[in-house]
Each structure stands twice: as C-alpha cells, then as structure tokens.
C-alpha cells in the first residue's frame, strides 16, 4: 500500500469511501459514496485510483479515493460497490490527491478546498494561437543592427534584438509580458526584415538550441561542492533537503541550473519556485538558455485555461522544468526529481487561502511522497529553515563568496534621533543627502526604499525613538481608531499618549510618510534629478511594475523611490546607492517575525547597491540603531542575527522553537462571535490532555471588522506541531457538530506569517 506512512489509515474499518470521478471538472465538490467490498477492506488509502461503476449504465470508470466514512448519506439499497483498485500503479493524480489529504490534515479546511489547490482544473475557454518571434538575420548582421538601435537610442528595439541574439526565437507572450515590448515594436522589426512574428507551426529543435547558446562558466569551489553534495545523494537514491545559504550574486541560480540539468538528464523533472515579483525576464531567460523549449513558466497573469494547458503539457512529458510562484508546486510531473525554492524566506510562499499551506513544508511533503529532493536557497534564510538545517533535518550548503568577486556594499547607519537634535527635520538624513548629491554628479543611480511593513499604526517618539509595547507580549501596540493602543496578541489595551512617557516630547504618534511625499521631497531638494516612483498606485495597471523597472534599468531615471517591491527583481548595475528611509517601520510591527523581516529587508535592500563593477553604499536610517536586527544587517552578519533571533524565539516560545496555531473566527454578529470564541477556547482547554497547549486570546485582530463582519483570533501554542494538528482536528469536529458555529466562519493558520 503506497504512502501508508503519510496518509494515516485509521484503525477502524470504514464502510464507505468518498470518491471523485472527474478530477478535472470545475465542480470538484461532486463527491460520490461507494461501499467498500469485503475484499478491499483495509486495503484502500487516500489518493488511490479505483475502478467504480458509474451512471445509469454502470459503465466502469476510474475514480480517486479522497476519504472514508462510517455513515452513508444515500439510500443504502442504491449504493454501489467499488469494483477494484486500479492496477496500473499510481497515476500522478493519485499522488496529488494524497498530497491534498496531507494538506488538509496539516493546515485544516475541507478536502475539496485542498483538492482545488492541488489539481489542475479544466476550464472551458477558446484556444489561443501560440505565437513566436523569430530572428531572421545571422549573428553578424544582427549585431550591426543592434549597434544601430543603441546608437539611435531605440531602447525597446535594442532590448528585443539583444534577447533574440541570445536565443533566436522567443515566445510572444514572453516578449510581451516579461520583456515589456509592444506589438508595434515587433512590427517595426518585421518591416525591417530583422525578425518575424510566427504562429506555433515553426517549431525549433530544443536540443540544438541548447548547444548553441550554452554559456560556459567555471564553477567556484563552493558551487562545485554544493552541486556534488546534492548529486552524490541523489544518485544513490537518497533524496534530501538542502539549504543553500549564499549572498545575492554568490551564484545560487547557477547552482540550481546545474542541479536541474543533472536531474533532467537522469530522466526526471524539476519545479522551480520563485516569488512572483522576482520572476523577471532576466531570470526566465537564464532558464530558457539552459533548457530551451523544455522549460515552462507559470504566473498569475495566465488565465485558468492557460494554466490548465501548461499543467497538461507537463503531465504529458513535454516539459522538464516548470518555473513559477507558489502554485507551480502542484505541477503534475510524471517523475518529479527536484523542487527548488528560491528566496525561500519570502512571505508569499504562504497561502492566504484555505488551506493556508506553506510551500516549503508542502514541497517537502510532496518530495517525500515522490522520492524527490528539495533545494531551498536564500541570502537570508528564514529562521525555520536555518533552525532545521542546524538541527540536521536539512543539509546546509554555503556560498560565502560572490561569484564575480564584487565587494559587498558599505553600509552607514544613521540615527534619526540625532538628525532631529541637529535640526534636520527632513526625511532624508544629512549623510543620505550628501551621497545622493554625489551620485547625481557622477551620473550613477540610486534607490530610496520606504519600509512600509507595519505601517498599521505603530506609535513612536520622533525625539527618543520610544515605541509603545505590550507589557505582556514583547510586541508593539497598535493604534486603533477607538483612541486606544491595543495588543493584537493578548487584547491588552491602554490610552493613546500625547507625550512620550520616556522623554516627555510631544513628537509622539503614528509614523506616516508615503512614497509620494518622498518623491516630492526628492524633487524639491534635487530639482535636476529624474525620479521614478513604484508603489501600489503606480503599479496598478497591468505590467506597471515591470514597466517601471524596465525604465529604470534603461537609466531613464536617477532615483527610484518605492516600497519593498523595489527590493526584488532586476539587477541594476548602475545603482551604487540605496537609502532605507525608515528601517524601524517593520521592526515594531506587532509581530514576532518583525525582527526577522527587518533583517531580511535591510540586507536585501542594501544588497541592491553595487551589483555592477562600481562599489556600492547603503544608508540605513533608523530610530533604533542599537537594535540587533539593524546592527547585524548593517554588518551583513546573518549568523549574529540568527543567534539573537533564535534566542528570542526560544525564550518566548515562538516558531520555530515552538508552534503556533491561529484560529480565525469571523461573524456578522459581534456578540455571537464572542460567545463562540469563548466556547471554542473552553473546549480547547478541555481536550488538550497532557499536551500542554497554551491558549492566548481571543483578541481582536489588527482589522477587527471587514465589511461589517467581525473578526476574532485565538492562538494555541505548543511544543509539537502534531499536537496542534490534533487540536485542530478536535476543534473542527466540535465546530461541525455545534449549530452555533453555522454562522461563524473558522479558519486555521499554522505558524502564521503575521499576526492577525
Ligand atoms: P544568485 O542567484 O546567488 O544571486 P546568480 O546565480 O544569479 O547568483 O549569479 C550572479 C551572477 O554571477 C550571474 O550573472 C551569473 O551568471 C554569474 N555567475 C554565477 N556563477 C558564476 C561563475 N562560477 N563564474 C562566473 N560567473 C558566474
Ligand atoms: Zn520620547
Ligand atoms: Zn499582549
């Protein structure tokens, strides 16, 4: 029986199996019950493919077991029997059904919700013609033309031609959506006989392609070591979990590519997860160069139909490598060999929909079921990943040197309290202004980065840096509209301050400064500077994000002002200065992960400076220059940060030292919600047994009401994850059988990325 360790068959023997027949149908919620015949008793497990009679004619068809029950919802005399277990071995769908069952178990929600995440769902849609842009010139001619475009400053044309010089043929979608080149540019190249826009029929030979453009690089010793460690295990059928810790530019992507190449050559496939925002043209092209047409990309801009097509291509063996954000994890490859998760620490790997799964854990579960390896990579590994690497569950591979030997940026920390004392009330410190003037003079570029995390009302003193904190939880208090300061963990409240309790200053309040204001300030202070702004406003239009970055990469501006979204993505070789305007903003968000998030943001942001040949500088402006997250980020010392942070987590019992389960409840009726949460807490208290579960709350989350629906959150804390899974199962049962909960929506979130 496959996966018996994974999908727990309970001790009891179930009479009935719940079965889905058409897993590609949009309405997955059509579940059929079948009787389990005596010859199959105890032999079935979730995900198994079975043969069942279906419909009026009792045509034999295949279905997948998604669960069991002791009772039957239908007329017992009419219920049909499962015929047999399908003997063709486990189909990929079965594996994904089993994964869905694992997700349901680990993250809560229903089996249907989990299945909808995991299975590719077909949707009726008109088929689109696939188009390609093909280079018509030979290399010499093309290079001449490229020089001409550059000379004439025809940047879009140059960009397209440069890309075509690399691969000779490009997907139209790729050109349009990732390279941000419009149809009119392609038409212009067509008129000049440089390139042609063609439909799918002209198919290139991917193998030939691969030989043509393979860039030869000599791996550094560290890269070589990482690849060999991975490969030695893989070849011996030991599929492990690896954490590559390497600064940006240390050559992690090259390492992934080499690992994938070997896995693909061995006849298996690979999935590469990348945060959507980092899924840029540059990154995608690197994979194209290595794997040609055998690589496919998934992103949120694909329609449901397009996604389904991609999934089917993968299933049918037409693709070896799938690159995409979180959901690409469920690519139905027939023989998955490797899952890579780049920027493993990113928040976007956690789903915000039920089941609220984490891609890292789910990837590991999938790899375990399918005997594949997992490679995690980051310059600033999550506490979770490093904790496990240190504990021996993951294998740590370090890349300490930058592959092209660029120096790391020089980092200056500016104490904003001193700026205030020295009479500088501008959001730009004296040091930053000095360096900005210098860069403008030299014609180099800079990025100003406003840390918007934790904007939700943390209160601080501009004179001494004092931050209002909860006396019970060691997290900052949030300012609520009701005039109170509130702790989102325990519900503690106090009155808002008008003067600072620390120094008596009246300059205490919520920090408010937007990117737009900063743009204004920069333009005022440096009228000669060309400024671009990137935030939610300027990126609302389709591809707005990519357009701004492309313009900045083309050096159409000197200064790029933005929120955390500018930290990721393109490499800008001419950027030699990064200013981080308010490092504290994320530090005091009311959240146990705020130190980690701050360290990551500061490290990644300062890492943007000096990616080219010129050395970079970064300025971190902060009210708390002595905070360990700031000090260690300025020193670019991950180890020191990790030591401090893990100590704090252990002390407070926060993940990864212990585990936290948020139970989110929402309801139209506030009083009813209160009662429901109280009952839930009492029940949790009663059923915890000797597991020692700490119950916190219920408290009002940061946003206590959305659209007139009230929200509450209850936290359960325990040493072991499986304790919390057991508690979740009990609570789910309790909720199901209690009518009072019919009007309350409950969601579970294990080890949440933020507090609610
Ligand atoms: P990371 O993913 O860690 O940021 P990359 O793999 O993107 O690093 O490498 C940064 C740059 O250095 C890329 O342009 C890459 O092609 C180049 N590079 C990586 N490894 C080597 C190497 N061994 N020799 C020369 N260039 C390399
Ligand atoms: Zn003060
Ligand atoms: Zn508190």
């Amino acid at each position: 029986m496959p996966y018996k360790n994974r999908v727990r068959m309970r001790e009891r023997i179930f009479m009935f199996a719940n079965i889905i027949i058409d897993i590609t149908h949009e309405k997955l919620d059509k579940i059929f019950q079948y009787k389990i015949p005596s010859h199959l008793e105890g032999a079935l497990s979730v995900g198994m493919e079975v043969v069942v009679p279906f419909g009026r004619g009792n045509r034999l068809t295949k279905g997948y077991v998604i669960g069991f029950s002791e009772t039957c919802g239908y007329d017992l005399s009419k219920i049909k029997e499962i015929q047999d277990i399908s003997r063709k071995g486990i189909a990929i769908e079965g594996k994904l059904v089993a994964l869905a069952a694992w997700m349901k178990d680990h993250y809560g929600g229903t089996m249907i919700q989990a299945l909808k995440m995991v299975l590719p769902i077909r949707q009726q849609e008109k088929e689109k013609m696939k188009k390609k842009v093909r280079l018509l010139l030979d290399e010499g001619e093309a290079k001449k033309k490229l020089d001409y475009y550059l000379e004439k400053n025809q940047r879009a044309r140059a960009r397209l031609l440069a890309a075509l010089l690399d691969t000779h043929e490009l997907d139209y979608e790729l050109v349009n959506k990732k390279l941000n080149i419009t149809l009119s540019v392609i038409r212009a190249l067509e008129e000049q006989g440089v390139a042609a826009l063609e439909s799918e029929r002209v198919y290139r030979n991917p193998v030939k392609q691969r030989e043509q453009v393979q860039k030869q690089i000599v791996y550094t010793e560290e890269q070589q070591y990482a690849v060999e460690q991975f490969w030695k295990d893989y070849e011996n059928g030991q599929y492990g979990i690896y954490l590559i810790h390497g600064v940006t530019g240390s050559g992690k992507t090259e390492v992934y590519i080499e690992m994938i190449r070997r896995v693909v050559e061995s006849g298996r496939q690979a999935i590469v997860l990348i945060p959507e925002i980092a899924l840029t043209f540059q990154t995608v092209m690197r994979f194209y160069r290595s794997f040609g047409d055998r690589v496919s990309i998934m992103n949120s801009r694909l329609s449901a139909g397009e996604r389904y097509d991609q999934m089917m291509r993968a299933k049918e063996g037409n693709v070896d490598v799938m690159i995409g954000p979180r959901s690409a994890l469920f690519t139905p490859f027939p023989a998955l060999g490797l899952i890579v998760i780049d920027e493993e620490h990113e928040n976007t790997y956690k789903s915000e929909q039920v089941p609220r799964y984490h891609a890292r854990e789910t990837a590991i579960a999938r790899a375990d079921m399918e005997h594949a390896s997992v490679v995690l990579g980051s310059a600033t590994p999550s506490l979770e990943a490093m904790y496990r690497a240190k504990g021996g569950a993951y294998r740590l591979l370090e890349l300490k040197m930058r592959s092209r030997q660029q120096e790391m940026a020089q980092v200056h920390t500016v104490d904003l309290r001193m700026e205030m004392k020295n009479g500088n009330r501008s959001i730009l410190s004296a040091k930053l202004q000095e360096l900005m003037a210098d860069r403008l003079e030299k014609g180099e570029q800079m990025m100003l980065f406003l840390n918007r995390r934790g904007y939700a009302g943390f209160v601080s003193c501009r004179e001494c840096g004092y931050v209002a904190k909860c006396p019970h939880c060691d997290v900052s208090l949030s300012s609520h509209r009701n005039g109170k300061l509130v702790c989102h963990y325990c519900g503690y409240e106090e009155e808002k301050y008008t003067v600072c309790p620390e120094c008596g200053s009246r300059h205490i309040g919520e920090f408010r400064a937007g990117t737009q204001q900063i743009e204004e300030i920069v333009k005022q202070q440096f009228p000669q500077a060309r400024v671009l702004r990137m935030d939610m406003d300027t990126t609302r239009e389709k591809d707005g994000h990519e357009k701004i970055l492309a313009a900045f990469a083309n050096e159409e501006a000197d200064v790029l002002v933005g929120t955390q979204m500018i930290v990721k993505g393109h490499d800008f070789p001419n950027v030699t200065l990064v200013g981080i305007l308010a490092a504290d903003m994320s530090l005091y968000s009311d959240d146990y992960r705020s130190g980690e998030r701050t360290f990551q943001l500061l490290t990644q942001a300062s890492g943007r400076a000096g990616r080219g040949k010129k050395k970079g500088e970064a300025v971190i402006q902060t009210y708390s220059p002595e905070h360990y997250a700031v000090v260690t980020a300025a020193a670019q010392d991950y180890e020191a940060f990790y030591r401090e942070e893990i100590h704090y987590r252990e002390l407070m019992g926060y993940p990864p030292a212990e585990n936290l389960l948020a139970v989110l409840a929402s309801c139209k009726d506030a009083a009813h919600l209160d009662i429901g949460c109280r009952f839930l807490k009492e029940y949790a208290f009663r059923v915890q047994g000797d597991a020692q579960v700490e119950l916190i709350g219920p408290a009002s989350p940061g946003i206590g009401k959305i659209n007139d629906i009230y929200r509450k959150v209850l936290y359960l804390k325990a040493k072991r994850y499986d304790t919390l899974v057991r508690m979740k199962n009990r609570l789910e049962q309790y909720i199901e059988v209690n009518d009072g909960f019919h009007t309350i929506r409950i969601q579970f979130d294990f080890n949440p990325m933020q507090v609610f």
Side-chain angles (χ1 to χ4, degrees):
M1 191 170 69
Y3 315 143
K4 61 176 176 250
N5 308 329
R6 291 264 133 226
V7 183
R8 225 165 298 134
M9 269 289 282
R10 299 185 209 171
E11 302 306 318
R12 291 166 298 178
I13 291 177
F14 293 89
M15 295 278 292
F16 304 97
N18 305 324
I19 293 192
I20 46 171
I21 305 286
D22 185 0
I23 54 159
T24 64
H25 198 276
E26 279 173 65
K27 289 207 185 72
L28 266 179
D29 21 356
K30 194 81 191 136
I31 296 176
F32 300 90
Q33 279 195 313
Y34 283 85
K35 199 159 174 287
I36 302 172
S38 55
H39 76 277
L40 291 180
E41 265 174 27
L44 295 173
S45 63
V46 172
M48 222 170 236
E49 193 178 317
V50 288
V51 182
V52 292
F54 188 71
R56 272 215 219 123
N58 281 336
R59 176 175 55 87
L60 287 182
T61 179
K62 69 178 181 187
Y64 296 92
V65 179
I66 64 160
F68 301 96
S69 56
E70 288 170 288
T71 55
C72 170
Y74 305 96
D75 181 352
L76 208 55
S77 64
K78 288 196 184 138
I79 198 149
K80 297 172 189 175
E81 257 186 20
I82 294 175
Q83 176 104 8
D84 208 349
I85 296 171
S86 172
R87 298 292 169 198
K88 284 181 300 188
I90 287 271
I92 177 63
E93 285 83 2
K95 294 179 191 171
L96 291 175
V97 170
L99 185 64
W102 180 91
M103 287 167 72
K104 172 196 151 27
D105 200 39
H106 272 70
Y107 301 109
T110 66
M111 189 63 191
I112 294 300
Q113 285 170 320
L115 285 168
K116 283 191 169 163
M117 287 262 176
V118 164
L119 294 173
I121 310 293
R122 179 166 44 213
Q123 250 178 16
Q124 247 51 15
E125 212 174 301
K126 257 208 277 172
E127 220 177 286
K128 268 198 225 146
M129 189 69 126
K130 200 160 182 198
K131 285 185 279 187
K132 303 222 165 215
V133 183
R134 192 164 61 87
L135 182 65
L136 298 175
L137 304 179
D138 69 30
E139 200 155 314
E141 290 172 322
K143 279 195 176 134
K144 257 189 243 150
K145 199 80 190 171
L146 179 61
D147 286 341
Y148 173 80
Y149 288 151
L150 287 172
E151 205 175 293
K152 293 272 168 196
N153 215 11
Q154 295 174 331
R155 290 173 190 272
R157 291 179 193 188
R159 210 140 36 93
L160 176 55
L161 185 52
L164 282 171
L165 259 166
D166 259 346
T167 54
H168 295 216
E169 210 171 81
L170 290 164
D171 274 353
Y172 173 70
E173 290 285 286
L174 190 79
V175 169
N176 191 243
K177 289 186 176 162
K178 282 287 166 212
L179 196 50
N180 193 26
I181 281 170
T182 58
L183 189 58
S184 64
V185 173
I186 301 173
R187 291 288 178 225
L189 262 66
E190 246 182 344
E191 270 166 34
Q192 299 171 5
V194 175
L197 185 62
E198 297 170 339
S199 56
E200 184 73 281
R201 268 165 292 127
V202 241
Y203 224 73
R204 97 187 119 146
N205 178 347
V207 181
K208 200 171 118 227
Q209 181 67 33
R210 217 175 300 175
E211 285 162 6
Q212 229 172 44
V213 290
Q214 202 50 70
K215 181 172 80 173
Q216 274 305 312
I217 63 168
V218 182
Y219 295 117
T220 64
E221 241 169 74
E222 291 175 325
Q223 286 174 317
Q224 189 73 31
Y225 181 80
V227 172
E228 292 308 332
Q229 289 305 309
F230 160 82
W231 187 243
K232 211 169 62 196
D233 295 345
Y234 187 94
E235 267 191 320
N236 290 319
Q238 286 174 340
Y239 304 107
I241 306 160
Y242 306 84
L243 172 61
I244 302 183
H245 176 205
V247 293
T248 27
S250 61
K252 292 187 293 298
T253 309
E254 293 299 335
V255 171
Y256 307 147
I257 289 175
E258 180 58 28
M259 290 171 169
I260 294 167
R261 195 194 328 278
R262 295 187 184 192
V263 166
V264 167
E265 264 164 27
S266 81
R268 294 170 71 180
Q269 303 88 37
I271 293 169
V272 183
L273 301 187
I274 290 180
E276 174 106 30
I277 201 159
L279 193 56
T280 59
F281 184 77
Q282 285 178 341
T283 313
V284 169
M285 280 310 292
R286 290 174 70 180
F287 283 89
Y288 260 79
R289 271 182 221 122
S290 300
F291 303 104
D293 255 2
R294 306 291 298 173
V295 65
S296 181
I297 305 152
M298 194 105 81
N299 64 43
S300 61
R301 277 167 286 193
L302 297 182
S303 69
E306 288 169 323
R307 297 174 74 81
Y308 182 78
D309 289 350
Q310 298 269 37
M311 291 296 197
M312 286 308 106
R313 283 181 66 209
K315 188 186 158 193
E316 281 152 19
N318 296 323
V319 176
D320 293 322
V321 185
M322 179 65 83
I323 308 177
R326 194 175 63 221
S327 59
L329 177 57
F330 306 114
T331 306
F333 278 132
L336 181 65
L338 171 63
I339 303 170
V340 173
I341 305 184
D342 190 30
E343 311 277 4
E344 153 285 323
H345 63 276
E346 280 290 317
N347 272 354
T348 53
Y349 285 126
K350 179 81 183 266
S351 170
E352 310 225 313
Q353 276 168 37
V354 179
R356 293 173 177 255
Y357 69 95
H358 198 293
R360 188 196 317 118
E361 297 158 1
T362 310
I364 291 168
R366 181 169 181 194
D368 192 30
M369 291 176 184
E370 301 191 30
H371 308 294
S373 293
V374 176
V375 171
L376 311 169
S378 175
T380 51
S382 64
L383 264 270
E384 273 81 0
M386 188 50 87
Y387 189 67
R388 295 200 183 114
K390 288 193 188 284
Y394 304 171
R395 173 132 195 199
L396 186 62
L397 299 168
E398 291 193 282
L399 303 181
K400 294 203 165 114
M401 317 249 287
R402 280 192 157 178
S403 55
R404 290 179 300 184
Q405 265 111 42
Q406 308 102 307
E407 278 178 80
M408 302 300 281
Q410 183 188 354
V411 183
H412 312 272
T413 308
V414 171
D415 185 342
L416 285 173
R417 293 168 303 189
M418 295 306 291
E419 292 294 310
M420 187 86 172
K421 283 219 176 78
N422 296 337
N424 178 16
R425 291 187 164 221
S426 163
I427 190 143
L428 308 173
S429 63
K431 181 75 191 173
L432 185 56
Q433 289 183 34
E434 174 202 321
L435 292 177
M436 285 175 73
D438 171 71
R439 295 315 193 267
L440 283 171
E441 186 126 320
K442 289 187 192 149
E444 294 171 8
Q445 290 175 291
M446 63 208 98
M447 291 166 108
L448 297 183
F449 166 66
L450 182 68
N451 191 346
R452 274 277 285 262
R453 274 279 177 190
Y455 178 79
F458 96 86
V459 171
S460 70
C461 170
R462 288 200 63 185
E463 212 131 343
C464 75
Y466 172 84
V467 169
K469 283 189 154 191
C470 173
H472 309 295
C473 302
D474 197 28
V475 295
S476 63
L477 296 171
S478 288
S479 156
H480 268 214
R481 270 177 294 251
N482 64 7
K484 296 235 166 66
L485 295 175
V486 181
C487 171
H488 292 159
Y489 272 89
C490 70
Y492 171 86
E493 283 189 356
E494 61 185 45
E495 293 299 322
K496 261 186 200 165
Y497 315 127
T498 50
V499 295
C500 172
E502 198 76 15
C503 75
S505 162
R506 294 194 167 272
H507 294 288
I508 187 161
E510 288 169 54
F511 196 102
R512 281 190 200 282
T515 40
Q516 204 169 349
Q517 281 157 281
I518 291 162
E519 185 187 14
E520 296 300 310
I521 291 165
V522 173
K523 280 179 175 162
Q524 254 169 35
Q525 215 139 352
F526 302 100
Q528 77 277 30
R530 297 166 302 160
V531 188
L532 268 174
R533 172 163 63 94
M534 187 155 117
D535 55 22
M536 293 295 261
D537 287 340
T538 58
T539 55
R540 197 159 289 145
E541 89 178 274
K542 201 164 160 247
D543 299 325
H545 171 250
E546 197 88 3
K547 275 182 194 150
I548 293 170
L549 289 180
F552 192 58
N554 282 342
E555 299 182 22
E556 288 162 31
D558 308 299
V559 187
L560 177 61
V561 176
T563 52
Q564 47 260 45
M565 52 173 93
I566 66 176
V567 176
K568 285 275 135 44
H570 289 235
D571 248 335
F572 304 108
N574 197 36
V575 169
T576 57
L577 175 63
V578 168
I580 301 150
L581 298 183
D584 312 68
M585 288 253 239
S586 64
L587 210 46
Y588 295 107
S589 66
D590 51 0
D591 197 322
Y592 70 92
R593 290 185 195 266
S594 59
E596 179 177 9
R597 197 140 45 215
T598 302
F599 177 81
Q600 285 164 354
L601 284 168
L602 296 183
T603 310
Q604 306 259 353
S606 41
R608 304 299 314 179
R611 297 294 280 271
K613 294 198 178 69
K614 296 167 224 157
K615 186 171 162 61
E617 282 178 281
V619 177
I620 297 178
Q621 303 189 159
T622 175
Y623 288 103
S624 30
E626 67 290 336
H627 191 286
Y628 65 88
V630 176
V631 174
T632 54
Q636 323 225 13
D637 187 348
Y638 177 87
E639 272 300 315
F641 166 74
Y642 177 83
R643 275 197 305 273
E644 290 275 358
E645 184 67 20
I646 201 71
H647 180 67
Y648 157 72
R649 304 279 180 98
E650 274 166 352
L651 212 64
M652 300 299 291
Y654 289 134
E658 292 186 28
N659 291 282
L660 194 64
L661 168 61
V663 184
L664 300 155
S666 54
C667 177
K668 277 201 169 131
D669 181 339
H672 185 67
L673 180 64
D674 274 349
I675 296 167
C677 287
R678 268 214 315 277
F679 273 108
L680 214 54
K681 184 174 183 175
E682 266 167 41
Y683 184 74
F685 188 76
R686 275 212 308 280
V687 299
Q688 63 177 322
D690 1 311
Q692 296 209 353
V693 181
E694 193 185 333
L695 302 169
I696 309 162
S700 290
I703 307 166
K705 189 166 88 166
I706 296 176
N707 266 336
D708 284 328
I709 296 178
Y710 293 87
R711 308 164 79 219
K712 286 266 175 204
V713 59
L714 176 68
Y715 287 101
L716 280 67
K717 203 150 94 175
K719 266 252 175 298
R720 297 172 55 102
Y721 194 100
D722 54 6
T723 305
L724 293 180
V725 169
R726 197 156 38 75
M727 292 294 286
K728 179 223 43 166
N729 290 341
R730 296 300 295 266
L731 292 176
E732 270 181 331
Q733 283 163 5
Y734 179 73
I735 289 158
E736 205 179 302
V737 299
N738 276 284
D739 293 349
F741 286 102
H742 283 177
T743 53
I744 302 178
R745 193 170 118 98
I746 305 274
Q747 289 185 39
F748 297 94
D749 194 335
F750 284 83
N751 294 335
M753 298 310 278
Q754 77 279 330
V755 290
F756 296 95

